[in-house]
Amino acid sequence: MSLAEDGRDLDEVVWQAWKAMELPEGYRAEIIEGAIEVSPTGRYSHSQIVFLLKEALGEFLRGGDFAARNDTNIIHENRAWVPDLFIVARDAERYVTDDGLGLAAAGVRVVFEVVSPGKRSQDRDRVKKRREYARAGIPVYVIIDDYDKQGTVTVLTEPQPDRADWLGVASVPYGTDVHLPKGPAKGFVIGDSITGPKRA
């Protein structure tokens, strides 16, 4: 019997499978472009960038209405992502999904991914999640890419959900300060104190 004959939609089957998964500690599962992807937690260099970024963002956002969070599922139309870091309202209760599995993407103002080694991981952050976050209409996507030739920070703005793409794209090498152009972290600087120095 095919899925169509059974009356079930493939996206729903994938969604239900994801909800039923039990992973060993140190792994996370995401639904990216209709497929479940399981990946381990990052290496030290990855976690160090995330740590420095979260610490600096926490200081920048202190006392305001928004906060930096991680280790949380972001849900959008039977898709589920676990960004390295994201910015959401400090009081995020209104964005908790009905089933309590995560936060609705509609509440996310900025999402950050630190690229991991390996072609599959790099494609996930550079290509697949780039499209997924645009489809969800998340206003700003920041990619910190340790595996580009010289290390690159890319800031994507003005998502086009129907095209799964972005109008605003700015990329700079490590060692160049990047100022977030909009949202609750407008003016926040990503520089070498987070990424490390310029590379030769």
Side-chain angles (χ1 to χ4, degrees):
M1 178 182 296
S2 73
L3 289 173
E5 289 168 347
D6 196 33
R8 291 183 292 171
D9 177 80
L10 183 56
D11 282 347
E12 180 64 22
V13 172
V14 171
W15 175 250
Q16 294 301 329
W18 175 80
K19 289 194 335 185
M21 290 182 79
E22 292 185 28
L23 296 173
E25 191 173 335
Y27 286 84
R28 63 185 182 181
E30 301 174 284
I31 303 174
I32 302 173
E33 299 199 323
I36 296 174
E37 294 197 19
V38 177
S39 57
T41 52
R43 298 177 176 201
Y44 173 78
S45 60
H46 179 279
S47 70
Q48 180 66 1
I49 291 174
V50 174
F51 168 76
L52 293 170
L53 183 60
K54 187 174 183 185
E55 193 174 61
L57 272 169
E59 191 60 38
F60 186 87
L61 297 169
R62 188 177 310 284
D65 295 332
F66 291 86
R69 292 180 177 249
N70 61 351
D71 295 328
T72 304
N73 295 315
I74 302 302
I75 310 290
H76 179 72
E77 296 179 353
N78 286 1
R79 301 290 194 263
W81 313 298
V82 184
D84 289 321
L85 202 63
F86 62 95
I87 296 175
V88 68
R90 188 171 298 280
D91 174 15
E93 291 294 317
R94 64 182 177 259
Y95 297 113
V96 175
T97 56
D98 292 341
D99 54 16
L101 290 175
L103 297 173
V108 176
R109 297 293 174 259
V110 185
V111 67
F112 301 84
E113 295 287 2
V114 178
V115 177
S116 296
K119 181 172 181 359
R120 189 172 152 206
S121 296
Q122 291 166 11
D123 285 349
R124 182 171 54 242
D125 292 336
R126 294 173 182 165
V127 180
K128 294 179 182 179
K129 282 191 170 181
R130 176 178 174 148
R131 291 191 296 243
E132 288 282 65
Y133 294 148
R135 285 185 188 108
I138 293 171
V140 180
Y141 177 28
V142 179
I143 306 169
I144 299 176
D145 194 343
D146 224 24
Y147 298 93
D148 186 48
K149 291 173 264 185
Q150 51 196 355
T152 303
V153 178
T154 300
V155 178
L156 301 152
T157 57
E158 299 175 69
Q160 306 293 293
D162 54 332
R163 294 177 49 226
D165 205 355
W166 306 78
L167 281 181
V169 180
S171 292
V172 300
Y174 283 8
T176 305
D177 285 351
V178 179
H179 300 257
L180 294 193
K182 55 175 56 181
K186 181 178 180 180
F188 176 75
V189 177
I190 300 172
D192 57 13
S193 62
I194 292 170
T195 64
K198 180 177 181 177
R199 295 180 181 172

